[in-house]
Amino acid sequence: MSEFAGKTALVTGASRGIGRAVARRLAAGGARVIVHYASNDDLAKETVAEIENAGGQAYAVKAAFEDGVDALFDGLRDDRLDIVVNNAAILGGVLNSVTPEQFDRVFAVNVRAPYFIIERALPLLNDGGRIINVSSAVVRIALPDVVYSMTKGALDTLGFTLAPILGPRGITVNTVSPGVTETDMNAWLREDHDGAAERSVTEVTALGRIGRPDDIAGAVALLARPEAGWITGHVLDATGGYFLG
Ligand code: NDP
Protein backbone atom coordinates (compact mmCIF):
# COMPACT_ATOMS: atom_id res chain seq x y z
CA MET A 1 0.00 0.00 0.00
CA SER A 2 1.45 3.36 -0.92
CA GLU A 3 -1.62 5.60 -0.81
CA PHE A 4 0.10 7.99 1.61
CA ALA A 5 3.55 8.01 0.00
CA GLY A 6 5.20 11.41 0.29
CA LYS A 7 2.69 12.56 2.93
CA THR A 8 3.41 13.62 6.48
CA ALA A 9 0.86 12.78 9.16
CA LEU A 10 0.57 14.10 12.71
CA VAL A 11 -1.26 11.68 15.01
CA THR A 12 -1.94 12.80 18.58
CA GLY A 13 -2.07 10.21 21.35
CA ALA A 14 -0.12 7.69 19.27
CA SER A 15 1.89 6.03 22.06
CA ARG A 16 -0.81 3.40 22.55
CA GLY A 17 -4.36 2.31 21.78
CA ILE A 18 -6.17 3.69 18.77
CA GLY A 19 -3.57 6.38 18.07
CA ARG A 20 -0.79 3.80 17.81
CA ALA A 21 -2.87 1.74 15.37
CA VAL A 22 -3.61 4.85 13.30
CA ALA A 23 0.09 5.78 13.24
CA ARG A 24 1.04 2.25 12.13
CA ARG A 25 -1.67 2.20 9.45
CA LEU A 26 -0.74 5.57 7.93
CA ALA A 27 2.95 4.61 8.02
CA ALA A 28 2.15 1.30 6.32
CA GLY A 29 0.59 3.38 3.56
CA GLY A 30 3.83 5.28 3.14
CA ALA A 31 3.27 8.34 5.35
CA ARG A 32 6.01 9.76 7.55
CA VAL A 33 4.31 9.86 10.94
CA ILE A 34 4.74 12.24 13.85
CA VAL A 35 3.89 10.19 16.93
CA HIS A 36 2.58 12.52 19.61
CA TYR A 37 2.23 11.42 23.25
CA ALA A 38 1.88 12.97 26.71
CA SER A 39 4.17 11.12 29.14
CA ASN A 40 4.81 7.46 28.21
CA ASP A 41 8.27 7.82 26.64
CA ASP A 42 8.81 4.07 26.33
CA LEU A 43 5.47 3.42 24.65
CA ALA A 44 6.00 6.25 22.18
CA LYS A 45 9.43 4.79 21.36
CA GLU A 46 7.74 1.43 20.81
CA THR A 47 5.32 2.94 18.30
CA VAL A 48 8.21 4.55 16.42
CA ALA A 49 10.21 1.30 16.53
CA GLU A 50 7.26 -0.74 15.23
CA ILE A 51 6.89 1.65 12.31
CA GLU A 52 10.62 1.73 11.55
CA ASN A 53 10.95 -2.05 11.83
CA ALA A 54 8.20 -2.35 9.24
CA GLY A 55 10.18 -0.08 6.91
CA GLY A 56 8.33 3.15 7.68
CA GLN A 57 9.36 6.57 8.96
CA ALA A 58 8.32 8.14 12.26
CA TYR A 59 9.49 10.24 15.17
CA ALA A 60 7.95 11.03 18.55
CA VAL A 61 7.02 14.38 20.10
CA LYS A 62 6.01 14.78 23.74
CA ALA A 63 3.40 17.33 24.83
CA ALA A 64 0.85 17.28 27.64
CA PHE A 65 -2.08 19.26 26.32
CA GLU A 66 -3.06 20.63 29.74
CA ASP A 67 -0.09 22.93 29.12
CA GLY A 68 -1.18 23.88 25.61
CA VAL A 69 0.18 22.79 22.24
CA ASP A 70 3.41 24.84 22.01
CA ALA A 71 5.57 21.83 22.98
CA LEU A 72 4.02 19.81 20.17
CA PHE A 73 4.76 22.44 17.52
CA ASP A 74 8.23 23.14 18.97
CA GLY A 75 9.00 19.44 18.48
CA LEU A 76 8.01 19.20 14.82
CA ARG A 77 10.88 18.49 12.43
CA ASP A 78 8.63 18.95 9.40
CA ASP A 79 7.55 22.28 8.03
CA ARG A 80 4.74 20.76 5.95
CA LEU A 81 1.87 18.45 6.94
CA ASP A 82 -0.74 16.56 4.93
CA ILE A 83 -2.80 14.69 7.52
CA VAL A 84 -3.69 15.73 11.07
CA VAL A 85 -5.41 13.19 13.31
CA ASN A 86 -6.68 14.62 16.61
CA ASN A 87 -6.94 11.41 18.58
CA ALA A 88 -5.59 12.07 22.11
CA ALA A 89 -8.24 12.31 24.82
CA ILE A 90 -8.86 11.58 28.47
CA LEU A 91 -11.93 10.50 30.42
CA GLY A 92 -13.85 12.81 32.75
CA GLY A 93 -16.06 11.32 35.43
CA VAL A 94 -19.65 10.85 36.53
CA LEU A 95 -21.88 13.60 37.92
CA ASN A 96 -20.74 14.93 41.33
CA SER A 97 -17.25 13.44 40.95
CA VAL A 98 -15.55 16.08 38.79
CA THR A 99 -14.01 19.23 40.28
CA PRO A 100 -13.94 22.43 38.22
CA GLU A 101 -10.18 21.90 37.77
CA GLN A 102 -10.71 18.37 36.44
CA PHE A 103 -13.50 19.63 34.20
CA ASP A 104 -11.16 22.25 32.71
CA ARG A 105 -8.43 19.64 32.25
CA VAL A 106 -10.70 17.30 30.26
CA PHE A 107 -11.83 20.16 28.04
CA ALA A 108 -8.22 21.35 27.64
CA VAL A 109 -7.05 17.96 26.37
CA ASN A 110 -10.13 16.86 24.42
CA VAL A 111 -11.36 20.15 22.93
CA ARG A 112 -8.97 23.08 23.40
CA ALA A 113 -5.98 21.11 22.11
CA PRO A 114 -7.60 19.87 18.86
CA TYR A 115 -8.86 23.40 18.15
CA PHE A 116 -5.44 25.02 18.60
CA ILE A 117 -3.63 22.15 16.90
CA ILE A 118 -5.75 22.76 13.83
CA GLU A 119 -5.20 26.53 14.05
CA ARG A 120 -1.43 26.09 14.37
CA ALA A 121 -1.31 23.33 11.74
CA LEU A 122 -3.20 25.25 9.06
CA PRO A 123 -0.24 27.32 7.79
CA LEU A 124 1.75 24.06 7.54
CA LEU A 125 -1.01 21.94 6.04
CA ASN A 126 -0.83 21.47 2.29
CA ASP A 127 -3.93 22.28 0.24
CA GLY A 128 -5.93 19.08 -0.21
CA GLY A 129 -4.93 18.01 3.30
CA ARG A 130 -6.94 15.97 5.75
CA ILE A 131 -8.08 16.77 9.28
CA ILE A 132 -9.62 13.83 11.12
CA ASN A 133 -10.92 14.18 14.67
CA VAL A 134 -11.59 11.12 16.81
CA SER A 135 -14.91 11.53 18.62
CA SER A 136 -17.04 8.79 20.16
CA ALA A 137 -20.38 7.03 19.98
CA VAL A 138 -21.12 8.67 23.36
CA VAL A 139 -22.43 11.55 21.31
CA ARG A 140 -25.48 9.43 20.40
CA ILE A 141 -25.56 7.00 23.35
CA ALA A 142 -26.01 8.44 26.86
CA LEU A 143 -23.27 7.11 29.15
CA PRO A 144 -22.53 8.30 32.72
CA ASP A 145 -19.29 10.20 31.95
CA VAL A 146 -21.07 13.46 31.20
CA VAL A 147 -17.99 15.66 30.90
CA TYR A 148 -16.17 13.38 28.46
CA SER A 149 -19.35 13.05 26.39
CA MET A 150 -19.72 16.83 26.27
CA THR A 151 -16.19 17.16 24.91
CA LYS A 152 -16.97 14.74 22.10
CA GLY A 153 -20.09 16.72 21.20
CA ALA A 154 -17.89 19.79 20.88
CA LEU A 155 -15.49 17.88 18.63
CA ASP A 156 -18.32 16.83 16.30
CA THR A 157 -19.36 20.48 16.05
CA LEU A 158 -15.75 21.50 15.38
CA GLY A 159 -15.58 19.22 12.33
CA PHE A 160 -18.94 20.29 10.98
CA THR A 161 -18.26 24.00 11.31
CA LEU A 162 -14.69 23.93 10.04
CA ALA A 163 -15.43 21.98 6.87
CA PRO A 164 -16.89 24.91 4.88
CA ILE A 165 -14.18 27.27 6.13
CA LEU A 166 -11.38 25.01 4.89
CA GLY A 167 -13.17 23.72 1.79
CA PRO A 168 -11.74 26.43 -0.50
CA ARG A 169 -8.28 24.96 0.15
CA GLY A 170 -9.48 21.43 -0.59
CA ILE A 171 -8.84 20.49 3.03
CA THR A 172 -11.40 18.02 4.35
CA VAL A 173 -12.47 17.87 7.99
CA ASN A 174 -14.06 14.66 9.15
CA THR A 175 -14.81 12.85 12.39
CA VAL A 176 -14.49 9.17 13.27
CA SER A 177 -16.66 7.91 16.13
CA PRO A 178 -15.48 4.63 17.67
CA GLY A 179 -17.57 2.47 19.98
CA VAL A 180 -16.12 0.35 22.77
CA THR A 181 -12.57 -0.51 21.71
CA GLU A 182 -9.92 -2.66 23.42
CA THR A 183 -7.56 -0.02 24.85
CA ASP A 184 -6.37 1.23 28.24
CA MET A 185 -9.39 3.55 28.28
CA ASN A 186 -11.51 0.44 28.77
CA ALA A 187 -9.53 -1.23 31.56
CA TRP A 188 -12.86 -2.64 32.84
CA LEU A 189 -12.82 -5.07 29.92
CA ARG A 190 -9.57 -6.62 31.20
CA GLU A 191 -11.06 -6.97 34.69
CA ASP A 192 -14.22 -8.56 33.29
CA HIS A 193 -13.33 -12.12 34.33
CA ASP A 194 -16.74 -13.71 33.72
CA GLY A 195 -17.21 -11.87 30.40
CA ALA A 196 -20.48 -10.23 31.50
CA ALA A 197 -19.38 -6.69 30.74
CA GLU A 198 -18.07 -7.69 27.32
CA ARG A 199 -21.34 -9.49 26.54
CA SER A 200 -23.31 -6.39 27.50
CA VAL A 201 -21.53 -4.66 24.61
CA THR A 202 -21.33 -7.45 22.06
CA GLU A 203 -25.03 -8.30 22.42
CA VAL A 204 -25.96 -4.81 21.19
CA THR A 205 -23.28 -4.64 18.51
CA ALA A 206 -24.30 -5.66 15.00
CA LEU A 207 -20.92 -7.22 14.27
CA GLY A 208 -20.96 -9.06 17.61
CA ARG A 209 -17.58 -8.21 19.12
CA ILE A 210 -15.60 -5.47 20.84
CA GLY A 211 -13.73 -3.07 18.54
CA ARG A 212 -9.98 -3.32 18.04
CA PRO A 213 -7.65 -0.34 17.53
CA ASP A 214 -6.97 -1.56 13.98
CA ASP A 215 -10.70 -1.31 13.20
CA ILE A 216 -10.61 2.39 13.99
CA ALA A 217 -7.31 2.87 12.16
CA GLY A 218 -9.03 1.45 9.07
CA ALA A 219 -11.81 4.04 9.33
CA VAL A 220 -9.28 6.88 9.74
CA ALA A 221 -7.29 5.61 6.76
CA LEU A 222 -10.44 5.55 4.62
CA LEU A 223 -10.98 9.26 5.24
CA ALA A 224 -7.28 10.06 4.75
CA ARG A 225 -7.06 8.32 1.38
CA PRO A 226 -6.92 10.38 -1.84
CA GLU A 227 -10.29 8.89 -2.93
CA ALA A 228 -12.00 10.50 0.10
CA GLY A 229 -11.34 14.01 -1.17
CA TRP A 230 -15.07 14.65 -1.75
CA ILE A 231 -16.08 13.72 1.80
CA THR A 232 -16.04 16.54 4.34
CA GLY A 233 -18.00 17.60 7.42
CA HIS A 234 -18.89 13.94 7.90
CA VAL A 235 -19.11 11.87 11.09
CA LEU A 236 -18.19 8.26 10.38
CA ASP A 237 -19.61 5.74 12.85
CA ALA A 238 -16.91 3.12 13.48
CA THR A 239 -18.64 1.08 16.17
CA GLY A 240 -19.35 -2.21 14.43
CA GLY A 241 -23.00 -1.15 14.61
CA TYR A 242 -23.29 -0.39 18.33
CA PHE A 243 -26.84 0.18 19.63
CA LEU A 244 -28.50 0.36 16.25
CA GLY A 245 -31.80 -0.67 17.82
P1 NDP B 1 -5.76 5.59 25.33
O1 NDP B 1 -6.14 5.99 26.71
O2 NDP B 1 -5.41 4.17 25.05
O3 NDP B 1 -4.53 6.51 24.81
C1 NDP B 1 -4.58 7.87 25.05
C2 NDP B 1 -3.52 8.58 24.26
O4 NDP B 1 -3.65 9.99 24.53
C3 NDP B 1 -2.11 8.19 24.66
O5 NDP B 1 -1.26 8.27 23.55
C4 NDP B 1 -1.76 9.26 25.68
O6 NDP B 1 -0.34 9.50 25.79
C5 NDP B 1 -2.46 10.48 25.12
N1 NDP B 1 -2.76 11.41 26.21
C6 NDP B 1 -3.22 11.08 27.44
N2 NDP B 1 -3.31 12.17 28.21
C7 NDP B 1 -2.90 13.21 27.45
C8 NDP B 1 -2.70 14.58 27.72
N3 NDP B 1 -2.97 15.09 28.91
N4 NDP B 1 -2.22 15.37 26.72
C9 NDP B 1 -1.94 14.84 25.52
N5 NDP B 1 -2.09 13.54 25.21
C10 NDP B 1 -2.55 12.72 26.17
O7 NDP B 1 -6.97 6.09 24.41
P2 NDP B 1 -7.78 5.30 23.26
O8 NDP B 1 -6.83 4.78 22.27
O9 NDP B 1 -8.76 4.41 23.91
O10 NDP B 1 -8.63 6.50 22.63
C11 NDP B 1 -8.19 7.22 21.50
C12 NDP B 1 -9.32 8.12 21.05
O11 NDP B 1 -10.48 7.33 20.76
C13 NDP B 1 -9.77 9.13 22.10
O12 NDP B 1 -10.13 10.33 21.47
C14 NDP B 1 -11.00 8.49 22.71
O13 NDP B 1 -11.87 9.44 23.27
C15 NDP B 1 -11.59 7.84 21.47
N6 NDP B 1 -12.50 6.76 21.77
C16 NDP B 1 -12.05 5.63 22.40
C17 NDP B 1 -12.93 4.60 22.66
C18 NDP B 1 -12.51 3.35 23.33
O14 NDP B 1 -13.38 2.51 23.59
N7 NDP B 1 -11.23 3.15 23.61
C19 NDP B 1 -14.35 4.70 22.30
C20 NDP B 1 -14.70 5.92 21.63
C21 NDP B 1 -13.81 6.90 21.39
P3 NDP B 1 0.51 8.74 26.96
O15 NDP B 1 0.59 7.30 26.55
O16 NDP B 1 1.83 9.42 26.93
O17 NDP B 1 -0.26 8.94 28.22
Side-chain angles (χ1 to χ4, degrees), residues 132-232:
I132 299 164
N133 298 319
V134 180
S135 178
S136 170
V138 296
V139 167
R140 67 174 169 86
I141 300 160
L143 291 182
D145 189 335
V146 180
V147 180
Y148 171 79
S149 302
M150 288 167 71
T151 67
K152 294 304 185 179
L155 212 53
D156 283 11
T157 304
L158 175 65
F160 174 70
T161 49
L162 268 181
I165 296 169
L166 303 185
R169 290 184 51 197
I171 295 170
T172 66
V173 191
N174 290 296
T175 306
V176 169
S177 287
V180 179
T181 310
E182 286 166 1
T183 72
D184 296 342
M185 204 174 253
N186 288 314
W188 53 271
L189 275 173
R190 293 173 194 152
E191 291 144 21
D192 176 32
H193 301 301
D194 64 359
E198 179 167 342
R199 275 195 304 282
S200 72
V201 176
T202 56
E203 280 167 1
V204 291
T205 299
L207 294 175
R209 63 169 174 81
I210 301 284
R212 301 175 190 123
D214 284 341
D215 295 323
I216 314 307
V220 170
L222 278 179
L223 292 169
R225 289 177 65 102
E227 293 92 332
W230 195 235
I231 302 170
T232 194

Side-chain angles (χ1 to χ4, degrees), residues 20-37:
R20 176 182 280 190
V22 169
R24 270 196 318 240
R25 175 63 187 85
L26 296 179
R32 170 178 163 87
V33 179
I34 302 156
V35 172
H36 158 267
Y37 69 107

Side-chain angles (χ1 to χ4, degrees), residues 13 15-16 18 38-40 65-66 87 148 152 179 181 183 186:
S15 47
R16 52 199 164 100
I18 290 169
S39 62
N40 275 309
F65 292 154
E66 293 88 336
N87 164 79
Y148 171 79
K152 294 304 185 179
T181 310
T183 72
N186 288 314

